[in-house]
Amino acid sequence: DAKTTQPTSMDCAEGRAANLPCNHSTISGNEYVYWYRQIHSQGPQYIIHGLKNNETNEMASLIITEDRKSSTLILPHATLRDTAVYYCIVRHPIYNQGGKLIFGQGTELSVKP
Amino acid sequence: DVKVTQSSRYLVKRTGEKVFLECVQDMDHENMFWYRQDPGLGLRLIYFSYDVKMKEKGDIPEGYSVSREKKERFSLILESASTNQTSMYLCASSLGGMSNEKLFFGSGTQLSVL
């Protein structure tokens, strides 16, 4: 699986968009980008994933560059409850062989009033 | 919503005790996983199971065993607890097929071994 690089920490003002970058320059053609977050004292929570097209769901948007070497997770209107550690994971899903995710150190996002 | 329930939020045990951590999921998921999380080390996979009565070792299986007698339940067993097994334990499940990487986690069990 490709290695990912994320900033250690970021701040965001409440109500503004939070843009969390992830670098995955060694990603291969069949690897997906997954984002999870972990709020303090809780288990990680799946947010979104994508291969090469931009994706959006009720939680966030995922923008993947054309060369797929980096991506950005966007929380459009951050709230205090979005304060968490955000993990970017690159993984090739193999039928019935997956789930063995490697969680790095992630980005600690602090949303401030 | 998928619910993954871990039996205890906090647990305190003594060295040498046999410890059972229970995990139940309610969405008929095929796959279940046990991770532990330690400061500075991130999440590490202990064991996982792709089917009832099947189990596979993860990255750090030493000192642990698992049991999956029913599809919805995955138990982690510490045969003889040691202080270096003090950790946050997280159970997760996923649907299977090509959706293996969309994991649903429980709230975790903070285990302290004294």
Side-chain angles (χ1 to χ4, degrees):
Chain A
D1 296 329
K3 179 179 165 59
T4 62
T5 304
Q6 300 178 253
T8 303
S9 63
M10 293 180 63
D11 290 341
C12 178
E14 189 178 19
R16 304 298 291 267
N19 297 291
L20 293 96
C22 181
N23 186 290
H24 31 78
S25 58
T26 60
I27 193 170
S28 63
N30 54 10
E31 287 182 314
Y32 283 67
V33 181
Y34 295 83
W35 283 85
Y36 280 77
R37 73 179 182 183
Q38 188 172 20
I39 296 169
H40 183 61
S41 297
Q42 297 184 22
Q45 177 188 25
Y46 165 85
I47 301 173
I48 199 168
H49 75 280
L51 181 62
K52 53 185 176 182
N53 297 320
N54 298 337
E55 302 287 345
T56 295
N57 62 20
E58 64 279 3
M59 289 182 69
S61 295
L62 174 60
I63 308 298
I64 302 173
T65 57
E66 194 168 338
D67 64 7
R68 302 208 324 121
K69 293 185 177 182
S70 66
S71 61
T72 301
L73 179 75
I74 301 171
L75 308 178
H77 305 287
T79 71
L80 299 179
R81 287 177 295 181
D82 292 320
T83 292
V85 178
Y86 287 77
Y87 298 98
C88 169
I89 302 167
V90 172
R91 175 77 181 168
H92 170 215
I94 302 171
Y95 188 85
N96 275 348
Q97 292 294 316
K100 294 176 280 186
L101 298 178
I102 299 173
F103 288 78
Q105 297 305 309
T107 295
E108 188 164 1
L109 175 69
S110 296
V111 180
K112 300 182 183 299
Chain B
D1 279 351
V2 175
K3 192 162 185 187
V4 178
T5 303
Q6 295 184 229
S7 54
S8 304
R9 187 75 178 95
Y10 298 96
L11 212 51
V12 179
K13 296 292 181 181
R14 297 214 172 269
T15 302
E17 277 192 79
K18 190 168 186 176
V19 181
F20 293 86
L21 302 183
E22 305 287 345
C23 175
V24 177
Q25 50 94 3
D26 66 358
M27 281 299 289
D28 203 35
H29 280 179
E30 298 293 327
N31 309 324
M32 297 189 75
F33 308 85
W34 275 105
Y35 286 84
R36 65 177 279 178
Q37 184 171 27
D38 302 286
L41 296 177
L43 277 82
R44 294 179 290 168
L45 182 63
I46 305 171
Y47 265 99
F48 57 102
S49 168
Y50 290 145
D51 200 354
V52 177
K53 296 194 186 294
M54 289 183 65
K55 60 185 179 184
E56 292 193 41
K57 294 179 180 179
D59 299 320
I60 51 163
E62 296 78 21
Y64 303 94
S65 62
V66 289
S67 171
R68 194 165 180 205
E69 295 296 318
K70 294 184 177 182
K71 190 175 186 179
E72 67 270 17
R73 187 179 296 271
F74 193 37
S75 303
L76 180 70
I77 303 156
L78 286 66
E79 296 290 344
S80 177
S82 63
T83 54
N84 63 12
Q85 291 179 310
T86 291
S87 185
M88 169 68 82
Y89 289 87
L90 290 158
C91 175
S93 71
S94 67
L95 181 61
M98 293 300 284
S99 298
N100 283 329
E101 275 66 26
K102 187 174 178 180
L103 299 183
F104 294 84
F105 282 84
S107 297
T109 296
Q110 180 63 53
L111 173 67
S112 297
V113 182
L114 305 178

